[in-house]
Structure formats: structure tokens, C-alpha cells
Amino acid sequence: MRKAKDNENVPKRYYRPLITTCPRCGAPLRRRWTLWDKYLVTLEGRLHVFSLGYSCSRARCPHAQVIYRSVEAEQLSPKGSSFGYDLIVQIGGWRFWDHRTLDEIATLLEAKHLPVSRRHILNLIGDFLALLRAAQPAKIEAQRAYLNRQGLVISLDGLAPEQGNELLFVAREANLDLTLVAETLYSSRADLISQHVLEPIKALGFRIRAVVSDADKNIRRAVQTSWPGCPHQACQVHCLCEAGQPIFDTDRAMKTDLRRDIRAKLRPISRRLSQSLPDDPPVAVLTDYSEALRDALRAEGLSPFKLAGLQLYDELQQLETSLRRCQKKGGIPFWPRCSTSRLPANAMQSNMLN
Ligand SMILES: [Zn+2]
């Protein structure tokens, strides 16, 4: 539950109409009142958005009663939603283009400090699909000739937010990356999948060439019922993700350990660097190193092949080699204006290496 004080430090953003003068008489527009305001979660973070209404400042203007508003403000989010389109599209992209799981999406949002619960993520995926679906009939129509010729290769995906909640099923044409059906079902029973997800595809009237999905028993049974004899392959991304999960988990644990250790060591050095004169050449070099280090620590993995722990380990080794080379060449001399309160750059550099 969000408390009133959580809203205290939310940045405010005001939207005004694009025009500043009355289109009828040319007099300047004047601000009348706030048409609406709401708290919105966008990719930038939480915002308090105000849409301001303006009207002609000349009382006798025949258009004096017309209220002008910001088009941009109206386009920030769906009506009645407190999440921006940018966020909805990003979540949809993570889910369906990058094949991220709900957990991974939750982690990505957390890293951006965006307050979106798992339940909301699923709703936003639903919103994303509703947006996609709205454009679907036109897209299917545009591809009709191709689909008549080639038939459909269906990719089926079931998504459960947590035990006991409703499930989201999405069917797409795999070659065109076209969403055909997206349905929320209260149970993953085969007959429901068949009735609500597969039958609508059948109704489109195209030849079904093959189906790709994970190894879920209900999905397999539903496909056998709706399209008996249709080739049904296990999705390679799902298989690889499942096979690679133990490695991915171990790698993530290593990344967490490395991060914790390095951050603890980096903190006092960063503090000391920020207290030093920025135009000192050694400070500039060491600041670059600490920036590179911080950047390396931000690495994010993606199951099954992008292993952020290993990547971080490699980058740390490269940084270490570079720092040692620097030290050997004497590239970072002692602090030029060394005072007792400051640590020589060499000592700081050694700290970075240890
Ligand atoms: Zn006017």
C-alpha cells in the first residue's frame, strides 16, 4: 500500500497545449485550470503529471469558451491507467522479443527503481497484447496472401504470474512474429486452451503447418485435440533456458558476490577521489578506472547464454591488467601536491588492485 508521503518527492510535470495564441483571434491563450492530474509510472520513474487547460484571453472572442489541451499529455498512458505507454511497450518487448521471464522483468524494473509488482507486470503484458491485438486484423489482412500461400507456424506460450492466479496464453505466427491470439484463462486445462486459444486461430482459415511450444502437457493435449497429427516441436529457447538454468543460477550467485566485494572496496576510493582536485592527472585517470569499474558492475545477464558473472569477471581481469601495466610504466606518478591528508595516487591504485 502506498502512503501519502511516498508521493511527496515525486517530480511534477506540467503539460500545456502546443499553441500559445487563439487560432480564431490571435490573442494569447491564458491558463484556466488543471484538466486532470495523475501519478504515472514511466520508464523515467514516477511522475506527477498535470494537463493544463488554456483558453483565449479575450473575453469577447467567439471562441472564448474553447479549452485547449496538451495532445502529448493525452498520449502518455492509456485512459484510466497509471502506467505510461513507454513502460507497457518496454515490458512487452522484454517478454516477447527478449523472452524474459516474469522474474527477470521484475529484476529489470527493480534495477530502474520502478515500483511495479508482479501482478501489475502481468496486467501490463495484457495491456501490451491488447494494443497489439487492436492492430492485428489489419496486419493479418496485409499478410493474407503470404499466409494463404505459406500457412501458419504457431508459437504458443503460457505465462503464469504465480500459483493460483489466472494464466496468459499467447499464440503468434512464428515466421512473421505476428500475434494471433492473446487470452487470459483461469486454468491451464487443455480444453480451455483448445477452445479459447486454438479455435480462434482455426477460424482464421489458414493451413496450420506446425506448432512450437514448451513441453507443457496441457498445451500438447490441446494441440492434439484441435489439430490432430500436426507437427509439434518443443521450443528451443525454452529447452535451452531450462537446461542452462543451473549454470545461470550459479553465475548469478557469483556476480552477486563479486559485486558486493568490489562495491565495498570501491566506496572509500570513490569518496577519496571525489574529495581530490579533479584536474590532477592521476585523479582523472583513477576516476576513469572507477567509472569503468562501476560500469562493469552494472552488467545484466540473460538466460541461457548471457552470463553476467563471467562477463564481470573478465572485465575485472582486464581492468586489473590495465592498472598493473599502468603501475609498471609509472604512468600514475605520486600525487603532485601531496599533503598529509591525501593518500598518494599510487597507494590508491594499489587499493584498487587488492
Ligand atoms: Zn480568441
Side-chain angles (χ1 to χ4, degrees):
M1 189 75 186
R2 210 184 293 287
K3 299 185 190 90
K5 71 172 171 54
D6 294 341
N7 290 334
E8 267 171 22
N9 296 318
V10 178
K12 292 181 168 56
R13 190 163 294 173
Y14 298 91
Y15 286 86
R16 299 169 178 82
L18 277 176
I19 51 167
T20 53
T21 54
C22 172
R24 175 68 190 256
C25 73
L29 295 184
R30 201 167 64 196
R31 179 174 157 179
R32 295 292 168 181
W33 55 75
T34 301
L35 296 168
W36 54 258
D37 75 281
K38 65 177 171 183
Y39 289 94
L40 208 57
V41 183
T42 73
L43 282 178
E44 283 176 65
R46 277 186 88 225
L47 298 172
H48 191 180
V49 176
F50 296 80
S51 174
L52 306 176
Y54 279 66
S55 69
C56 181
S57 57
R58 207 165 65 89
R60 279 172 302 143
C61 171
H63 280 188
Q65 298 308 314
V66 178
I67 298 291
Y68 300 95
R69 59 178 66 214
S70 159
V71 180
E72 208 187 328
E74 306 296 332
Q75 291 174 343
L76 287 174
S77 65
K79 252 200 159 59
S81 167
S82 47
F83 297 94
Y85 279 119
D86 59 345
L87 183 71
I88 297 173
V89 170
Q90 175 67 80
I91 288 178
W94 279 333
R95 175 63 201 145
F96 299 109
W97 277 261
D98 298 347
H99 303 280
R100 303 265 186 174
T101 62
L102 267 186
D103 281 334
E104 286 168 347
I105 294 175
T107 311
L108 285 165
L109 290 168
E110 233 173 74
K112 288 178 178 287
H113 305 290
L114 294 174
V116 189
S117 67
R118 287 173 65 90
R119 186 83 213 127
H120 275 133
I121 295 173
L122 194 81
N123 290 343
L124 292 177
I125 291 175
D127 288 353
F128 174 79
L129 289 169
L131 291 172
L132 270 191
R133 222 173 348 186
Q136 264 359 60
K139 281 192 194 159
I140 292 174
E141 221 29 65
Q143 299 290 351
R144 184 165 283 282
Y146 171 90
L147 296 173
N148 272 331
R149 221 172 36 244
Q150 302 291 337
L152 303 175
V153 176
I154 308 285
S155 131
L156 262 179
D157 196 6
L159 192 63
E162 46 217 26
Q163 285 294 316
N165 270 317
E166 44 189 23
L167 302 109
L168 184 64
F169 281 90
V170 183
R172 299 197 299 165
E173 205 295 313
N175 290 321
L176 296 177
D177 221 3
L178 193 69
T179 305
L180 300 168
V181 175
E183 271 305 321
T184 322
L185 303 180
Y186 66 86
S187 143
S188 63
R189 266 170 30 209
D191 60 322
L192 288 175
I193 299 175
S194 191
Q195 187 187 345
H196 295 282
V197 184
L198 305 187
E199 292 303 319
I201 300 176
K202 222 172 169 177
L204 292 172
F206 301 110
R207 180 167 57 99
I208 310 293
R209 286 173 56 205
V211 179
V212 181
S213 75
D214 64 9
D216 183 84
K217 277 196 202 101
N218 289 327
I219 290 184
R220 302 206 145 254
R221 217 172 294 140
V223 171
Q224 271 164 19
T225 313
S226 286
W227 300 310
C230 181
H232 190 161
Q233 190 191 310
C235 166
Q236 293 172 5
V237 173
H238 276 101
C239 290
L240 284 171
C241 280
E242 255 166 58
Q245 200 57 42
I247 299 175
F248 190 76
D249 290 343
T250 314
D251 177 80
R252 185 156 47 194
M254 177 175 86
K255 180 186 78 178
T256 312
D257 288 350
L258 276 174
R259 261 189 192 169
R260 193 192 43 232
D261 292 354
I262 300 287
R263 283 207 172 117
K265 283 179 185 162
L266 190 58
R267 229 167 275 132
I269 295 172
S270 298
R271 210 169 19 243
R272 214 169 288 156
L273 279 172
S274 68
Q275 288 160 0
S276 314
L277 295 170
D279 48 351
D280 263 346
V283 173
V285 171
L286 289 175
T287 305
D288 280 352
Y289 272 107
S290 69
E291 270 308 309
L293 202 49
R294 245 191 296 270
D295 211 43
L297 291 177
R298 275 193 282 264
E300 286 295 342
L302 176 60
S303 171
F305 294 128
K306 198 177 165 216
L307 300 173
L310 281 183
Q311 190 190 327
L312 176 58
Y313 185 79
D314 280 347
E315 284 180 29
L316 288 176
Q317 277 198 320
Q318 282 172 23
L319 276 170
E320 184 181 357
T321 312
S322 168
L323 264 170
R324 287 207 190 283
R325 210 183 308 131
C326 226
Q327 212 172 23
K328 219 173 176 176
K329 280 200 299 192
I332 303 179
F334 272 90
W335 215 265
R337 287 183 294 278
C338 185
S339 71
T340 48
S341 66
R342 291 205 195 109
L343 198 73
N346 268 359
M348 228 191 279
Q349 189 190 12
S350 308
N351 277 0
M352 269 183 158
L353 287 171
N354 294 328

Short mmCIF file of all heavy atoms in Angstrom, two decimals, residues 21-29 55-64 68, ligand 1:
data_model
loop_
_atom_site.label_atom_id
_atom_site.label_comp_id
_atom_site.label_asym_id
_atom_site.label_seq_id
_atom_site.Cartn_x
_atom_site.Cartn_y
_atom_site.Cartn_z
N THR A 21 -1.43 30.99 -28.94
CA THR A 21 -2.36 32.07 -29.26
C THR A 21 -3.67 31.48 -29.79
O THR A 21 -3.70 30.36 -30.30
CB THR A 21 -1.78 33.01 -30.35
OG1 THR A 21 -1.41 32.20 -31.47
CG2 THR A 21 -0.57 33.77 -29.85
N CYS A 22 -4.73 32.27 -29.66
CA CYS A 22 -6.06 31.81 -30.09
C CYS A 22 -6.10 31.65 -31.61
O CYS A 22 -5.77 32.61 -32.33
CB CYS A 22 -7.10 32.84 -29.63
SG CYS A 22 -8.74 32.51 -30.30
N PRO A 23 -6.48 30.47 -32.12
CA PRO A 23 -6.50 30.28 -33.57
C PRO A 23 -7.56 31.16 -34.25
O PRO A 23 -7.48 31.43 -35.44
CB PRO A 23 -6.85 28.80 -33.75
CG PRO A 23 -7.06 28.23 -32.41
CD PRO A 23 -6.89 29.29 -31.37
N ARG A 24 -8.55 31.66 -33.47
CA ARG A 24 -9.61 32.47 -34.05
C ARG A 24 -9.20 33.94 -34.15
O ARG A 24 -9.28 34.55 -35.21
CB ARG A 24 -10.89 32.30 -33.21
CG ARG A 24 -12.06 33.16 -33.61
CD ARG A 24 -12.60 32.73 -34.97
NE ARG A 24 -13.57 33.70 -35.48
CZ ARG A 24 -14.87 33.50 -35.47
NH1 ARG A 24 -15.36 32.36 -35.02
NH2 ARG A 24 -15.68 34.43 -35.92
N CYS A 25 -8.74 34.51 -33.00
CA CYS A 25 -8.49 35.96 -33.00
C CYS A 25 -7.02 36.32 -32.77
O CYS A 25 -6.64 37.48 -32.88
CB CYS A 25 -9.36 36.64 -31.93
SG CYS A 25 -8.78 36.33 -30.26
N GLY A 26 -6.19 35.35 -32.47
CA GLY A 26 -4.76 35.63 -32.34
C GLY A 26 -4.34 36.16 -30.98
O GLY A 26 -3.16 36.37 -30.72
N ALA A 27 -5.29 36.35 -30.05
CA ALA A 27 -4.92 36.82 -28.71
C ALA A 27 -4.19 35.69 -27.96
O ALA A 27 -4.39 34.52 -28.28
CB ALA A 27 -6.18 37.23 -27.94
N PRO A 28 -3.34 36.06 -27.01
CA PRO A 28 -2.62 35.00 -26.28
C PRO A 28 -3.60 34.09 -25.50
O PRO A 28 -4.62 34.57 -25.02
CB PRO A 28 -1.72 35.75 -25.30
CG PRO A 28 -1.93 37.19 -25.53
CD PRO A 28 -3.00 37.41 -26.55
N LEU A 29 -3.25 32.83 -25.37
CA LEU A 29 -4.07 31.91 -24.56
C LEU A 29 -3.72 32.12 -23.10
O LEU A 29 -2.58 32.44 -22.77
CB LEU A 29 -3.81 30.46 -24.96
CG LEU A 29 -4.22 30.03 -26.37
CD1 LEU A 29 -3.96 28.54 -26.55
CD2 LEU A 29 -5.68 30.35 -26.65
N SER A 55 -7.40 28.80 -22.52
CA SER A 55 -8.43 29.32 -23.43
C SER A 55 -8.04 30.74 -23.83
O SER A 55 -7.11 31.33 -23.27
CB SER A 55 -9.80 29.29 -22.76
OG SER A 55 -9.82 30.24 -21.73
N CYS A 56 -8.77 31.29 -24.79
CA CYS A 56 -8.47 32.63 -25.30
C CYS A 56 -8.60 33.66 -24.18
O CYS A 56 -9.53 33.62 -23.37
CB CYS A 56 -9.41 32.96 -26.44
SG CYS A 56 -9.09 34.58 -27.16
N SER A 57 -7.66 34.61 -24.14
CA SER A 57 -7.68 35.60 -23.06
C SER A 57 -8.64 36.76 -23.35
O SER A 57 -8.90 37.58 -22.50
CB SER A 57 -6.26 36.14 -22.83
OG SER A 57 -5.77 36.68 -24.05
N ARG A 58 -9.18 36.82 -24.58
CA ARG A 58 -10.07 37.93 -24.93
C ARG A 58 -11.51 37.49 -24.67
O ARG A 58 -12.03 36.57 -25.31
CB ARG A 58 -9.90 38.29 -26.41
CG ARG A 58 -10.24 39.76 -26.75
CD ARG A 58 -9.69 40.10 -28.11
NE ARG A 58 -10.36 39.31 -29.13
CZ ARG A 58 -11.48 39.68 -29.76
NH1 ARG A 58 -12.04 40.83 -29.49
NH2 ARG A 58 -12.02 38.90 -30.66
N ALA A 59 -12.14 38.16 -23.71
CA ALA A 59 -13.46 37.72 -23.25
C ALA A 59 -14.50 37.75 -24.37
O ALA A 59 -15.40 36.91 -24.41
CB ALA A 59 -13.92 38.61 -22.09
N ARG A 60 -14.36 38.68 -25.33
CA ARG A 60 -15.38 38.81 -26.37
C ARG A 60 -15.11 37.91 -27.58
O ARG A 60 -15.85 37.94 -28.55
CB ARG A 60 -15.49 40.27 -26.80
CG ARG A 60 -16.36 41.11 -25.82
CD ARG A 60 -16.27 42.58 -26.18
NE ARG A 60 -14.87 43.03 -26.12
CZ ARG A 60 -14.33 43.92 -26.97
NH1 ARG A 60 -15.05 44.43 -27.92
NH2 ARG A 60 -13.07 44.29 -26.83
N CYS A 61 -14.03 37.15 -27.53
CA CYS A 61 -13.71 36.25 -28.66
C CYS A 61 -14.81 35.19 -28.77
O CYS A 61 -15.24 34.62 -27.76
CB CYS A 61 -12.36 35.58 -28.42
SG CYS A 61 -12.01 34.26 -29.59
N PRO A 62 -15.32 34.93 -30.00
CA PRO A 62 -16.37 33.92 -30.16
C PRO A 62 -15.91 32.53 -29.71
O PRO A 62 -16.73 31.66 -29.44
CB PRO A 62 -16.66 33.92 -31.66
CG PRO A 62 -15.83 35.00 -32.28
CD PRO A 62 -14.91 35.56 -31.27
N HIS A 63 -14.56 32.32 -29.63
CA HIS A 63 -14.04 31.02 -29.18
C HIS A 63 -13.56 31.05 -27.73
O HIS A 63 -12.80 30.18 -27.32
CB HIS A 63 -12.87 30.58 -30.09
CG HIS A 63 -13.35 29.98 -31.37
ND1 HIS A 63 -12.49 29.37 -32.26
CD2 HIS A 63 -14.59 29.88 -31.92
CE1 HIS A 63 -13.19 28.93 -33.30
NE2 HIS A 63 -14.46 29.23 -33.13
N ALA A 64 -14.05 32.07 -26.97
CA ALA A 64 -13.54 32.23 -25.60
C ALA A 64 -13.80 31.02 -24.72
O ALA A 64 -13.09 30.77 -23.75
CB ALA A 64 -14.14 33.49 -24.98
N TYR A 68 -8.22 24.53 -24.73
CA TYR A 68 -7.14 23.84 -25.46
C TYR A 68 -6.32 23.03 -24.47
O TYR A 68 -6.04 23.47 -23.37
CB TYR A 68 -6.26 24.86 -26.19
CG TYR A 68 -7.06 25.68 -27.19
CD1 TYR A 68 -7.57 26.92 -26.82
CD2 TYR A 68 -7.32 25.18 -28.45
CE1 TYR A 68 -8.34 27.67 -27.70
CE2 TYR A 68 -8.08 25.92 -29.36
CZ TYR A 68 -8.59 27.16 -28.98
OH TYR A 68 -9.34 27.88 -29.86
ZN ZN B 1 -9.74 34.39 -29.33
#
